[in-house]
Amino acid sequence: MASRPCVLSDRERFPMLLGFDHLTCSEHVAVPVDIARQRGGTYWDPLATFGYLAARTRRIRFATQVLVLGYHHPLALAKRYGTLDRVSGGRLVLGLGVGSLEEEFRLLGAEFGGRGALAGDATAALRASLSSREPAYHGEHFDYAGLIVEPRAVQARVPLGIGGRTPRSLRRAVAHGDGWVPFGLPLDRLREMVGAAELPEGFEVVLSAGRPLDPSGDPDRTSEALRKVSDAGATLVSVALSVQSASHYVEQLEALAVLAGTTAATEARV
């Protein structure tokens, strides 16, 4: 679905009724002006946004793509997003990443150096804690026990999607997660990495279709984009749409659903 969530008036279940898998929301607190010119400056807070959307929907899932692990203690994430999982009826997919914006790390007083090792430990801690009333974890960076966290996630195993662009991030995803959400890699490199990895049954590979698509105005390019990421090994395709209004967004969703269902050789879900 789109890279940023959009409220569709009172048509609450529309995206899921068309067969879409989830909505996504990224995490940034404050982006430097010069960097915002390249990657954008508007980022809806995932917890507040998904909390609102959970009350207006029934079936579509909510995926953080991604939360920056270095900005949070694992128990804080377990409490906040475990609560979201509970109020949404078990629809959380927790996307997690190491983070790359050094200026934002400094702003928040987070350590930029060594963030990879910390993220690995935090991911393991989250896996041990998200669905547990009395979580316990003993690792290099996080060590706790004898605590109660309520409310907690309603899912017995909250799906974890691990972001990144390195073989290490893919190994972390296989070891502790349920999917890999890479970014910034050419499709041939993605195909090579996915093909070389021994992925568990049901493991998701979430690939972006690239720049915003125009399924109603340019269906051929849209079909080709879906086909390319599916061929690269995607099981889920993340799509941003080019839109001018809420009604145009609905039109684009309808057109995308048709194309995703009819594009030859495209087995990935959208």
Side-chain angles (χ1 to χ4, degrees):
M1 279 280 313
S3 59
R4 296 185 180 88
C6 178
V7 180
L8 298 176
S9 185
D10 290 326
R11 302 181 70 172
E12 303 173 28
R13 296 183 291 275
F14 185 72
M16 188 61 190
L17 290 175
L18 287 175
F20 294 114
D21 185 82
H22 64 265
L23 296 166
T24 70
C25 200
S26 302
E27 177 185 53
H28 279 294
V29 176
V31 180
V33 173
D34 56 336
I35 295 176
R37 295 191 185 101
Q38 302 172 357
R39 60 169 71 182
T42 300
Y43 293 89
W44 293 76
D45 178 76
L47 192 59
T49 304
F50 286 156
Y52 173 78
L53 291 174
R56 298 180 62 88
T57 59
R58 294 294 179 267
R59 287 179 288 175
I60 198 161
R61 299 191 299 168
F62 306 112
T64 58
Q65 289 188 0
V66 294
L67 300 179
V68 180
L69 285 163
Y71 298 168
H72 311 276
H73 191 285
L75 284 181
L77 291 178
K79 178 59 174 286
R80 294 167 186 162
Y81 285 88
T83 301
L84 174 62
D85 190 59
R86 183 163 293 273
V87 301
S88 69
R91 290 186 283 153
L92 173 67
V93 179
L94 202 58
L96 308 168
V98 171
S100 61
L101 194 53
E102 186 171 1
E103 295 90 339
E104 193 171 37
F105 273 78
R106 288 201 303 267
L107 172 70
L108 299 176
E111 182 65 38
F112 188 74
R115 66 195 186 283
L118 183 142
D121 202 38
T123 303
L126 270 171
R127 172 56 75 212
S129 304
L130 266 167
S131 304
S132 176
R133 182 176 186 270
E134 298 184 33
Y137 180 75
H138 305 287
E140 180 181 356
H141 297 276
F142 304 100
D143 190 332
Y144 50 83
L147 305 164
I148 293 176
V149 176
E150 285 283 14
R152 63 188 187 278
V154 69
Q155 295 181 85
R157 180 182 173 94
V158 174
L160 301 184
I162 309 302
R165 52 181 298 167
T166 64
R168 182 179 182 180
S169 71
L170 179 53
R171 289 195 298 270
R172 184 184 301 124
V174 171
H176 299 293
D178 303 278
W180 187 43
V181 191
F183 66 94
L185 289 172
L187 288 178
D188 56 352
R189 175 59 177 153
L190 286 166
R191 186 181 301 108
E192 176 185 333
M193 293 175 70
V194 172
E198 294 186 14
L199 304 181
E201 184 72 23
F203 188 86
E204 301 280 19
V205 178
V206 186
L207 303 184
S208 170
R211 61 188 177 89
L213 299 177
D214 182 7
S216 63
D218 193 349
D220 290 342
R221 177 182 170 268
T222 299
S223 294
E224 181 63 16
L226 296 177
R227 191 177 293 112
K228 283 181 177 179
V229 289
S230 180
D231 290 345
T235 62
L236 274 170
V237 181
S238 180
V239 176
L241 298 174
S242 176
V243 298
Q244 283 79 49
S245 65
S247 60
H248 186 220
Y249 188 74
V250 171
E251 176 187 324
Q252 293 284 55
L253 287 174
E254 292 174 329
L256 178 62
V258 171
L259 291 173
T262 60
T263 298
T266 298
E267 297 180 357
R269 308 189 317 281
V270 179

